[in-house]
Amino acid sequence: MIYIQIVIDKGNKVPLYLQVKKQIMDLIKNGSLKVGFKMPTERDLSERLRVSRNTVSMAYRELEQDGVLKSYQGRGTFVAEEVKLWKHEDIREKITKFVDFAFEEAIEVGIDADEFLEIVTQRIEEKKKLIHEIRGVYIECNIEQSKIFSAQLSERTDMEFRPITVNDLNGMKEDTRKLVEESQIIVTTFNHVNEVRRLTRGFNKKVLGVAITPDLETIVRIARFPIETKFIFVCISEEFMFKVRDALESAGLGNINMKYTNSYDVNELKQHIDECEVIITSPGRYNDLNDLIANLDIQDKQIVNFLYSLDDGSVKALKSKLLEIKYQK
């Protein structure tokens, strides 16, 4: 089991359960705890932190209410999704308060309204230029998803992101090395953050994570199949398997007849395909499953590509972090 680094300060005025909650959220934000990670039991964590079990219970309960953790009876509590910053808050109101505070500070030191507006306008232009000049790479486990997400990220941030894969990092050919060296930032999905940090450690680059959300049309397509339909879901990683299971449950499809596998064994896959009516795959397995079906000359199976897109809230939070980057000269 991964050791969860949480430090409790009993002399701090912040309630203990909020300290536990915040640190768990921070660990998920920075990728230390990945989607699908099984959390310690309330009793185990409370004993290690030397706090009451009720303290941990309250922290877990609020994180479940926020959708960050999810408990399964008899199985435990798991990380269900990445933390979305400013969730359920009126962002416009929050920003307005920041502006009000800054304007009041300006007036107090003798800066009038026109000069304050000039400062703000100039600063915004500097930030826009900074955003436009940032270059980055987007890393995924498969090139199809990497191209899709890097294009989405480029469009939504007005920055240039180029796609590479985890396998590219493992192989580290000269073109991959050059892409990483020329980039100011590396972005990947949260479940790959730790692996990408390990593979790019020697480049001294900042690695940031983003959340992905299931494509609504894919969910609707699955929901339209008859309730008795037998599905097999084929993917690469256990983390993706967990995310899809959770996405289906959140959409009210947790009771469908679905088996899950990340096997590459042809005989095992053939047996699963023979037993099902619909094949659902992650983007990274879609092509090889199509090839397998063609080679086996199977005519009566439907195949659904379970698509994801970048989460809007996650991209906004990422864009804010990117503004803090200083150029490496």
Side-chain angles (χ1 to χ4, degrees), residues 102-312:
F103 184 55
E104 289 167 7
E105 288 283 305
I107 295 297
E108 286 183 10
V109 297
I111 298 176
D112 63 23
D114 290 338
E115 189 177 356
F116 175 76
L117 182 59
E118 183 182 344
I119 293 172
V120 172
T121 302
Q122 180 180 342
R123 191 61 173 162
I124 290 174
E125 290 301 319
E126 291 172 355
K127 292 294 185 181
K128 286 170 66 176
K129 182 180 179 182
L130 174 64
I131 290 173
H132 185 69
E133 292 179 354
I134 289 177
R135 299 290 181 268
V137 291
Y138 188 92
I139 300 172
E140 256 294 351
C141 57
N142 62 88
I143 192 60
E144 294 87 2
Q145 215 166 5
S146 186
K147 287 180 177 178
I148 291 170
F149 291 159
S150 62
Q152 289 181 13
L153 200 55
S154 297
E155 181 180 356
R156 297 186 198 180
T157 64
D158 197 28
M159 306 172 192
E160 182 183 343
F161 283 91
R162 289 166 288 186
I164 59 178
T165 68
V166 175
N167 283 338
D168 290 333
L169 293 181
N170 277 308
M172 198 57 74
K173 294 181 179 178
E174 185 58 33
D175 56 345
T176 301
R177 182 179 299 278
K178 185 177 180 181
L179 280 177
V180 176
E181 287 177 344
E182 292 177 350
S183 300
Q184 284 96 27
I185 191 69
I186 298 172
V187 179
T188 185
T189 43
F190 277 107
N191 57 297
H192 288 304
V193 166
N194 287 337
E195 183 179 13
V196 170
R197 282 179 178 159
R198 176 178 59 81
L199 292 171
T200 60
R201 189 176 293 125
F203 292 92
N204 194 29
K205 303 288 183 178
K206 185 75 173 177
V207 178
L208 297 177
V210 289
I212 56 176
T213 56
D215 177 68
L216 182 58
E217 290 186 11
T218 303
I219 297 289
V220 171
R221 184 178 175 187
I222 294 172
R224 285 175 176 167
F225 286 103
I227 189 65
E228 66 274 8
T229 302
K230 295 180 180 179
F231 299 90
I232 179 65
F233 180 79
V234 186
C235 63
I236 295 173
S237 68
E238 291 184 0
E239 289 86 1
F240 197 89
M241 194 183 304
F242 183 91
K243 284 187 71 69
V244 168
R245 183 185 289 118
D246 187 67
L248 292 172
E249 288 183 358
S250 298
L253 299 174
N255 62 340
I256 64 175
N257 188 352
M258 176 95 75
K259 291 184 178 180
Y260 296 83
T261 182
N262 58 356
S263 174
Y264 281 83
D265 182 87
V266 173
N267 292 328
E268 184 178 345
L269 288 172
K270 183 179 183 306
Q271 181 178 346
H272 285 308
I273 292 171
D274 288 340
E275 294 173 352
C276 78
E277 296 160 279
V278 178
I279 304 162
I280 303 175
T281 78
S282 65
R285 296 297 304 273
Y286 184 75
N287 288 335
D288 69 83
L289 260 295
N290 260 326
D291 292 342
L292 178 62
I293 291 171
N295 291 335
L296 295 175
D297 196 25
I298 297 173
Q299 306 294 330
D300 60 341
K301 306 293 182 181
Q302 294 192 53
I303 183 165
V304 177
N305 194 0
F306 201 103
L307 299 174
Y308 268 76
S309 61
L310 295 177
D311 174 74
D312 286 335

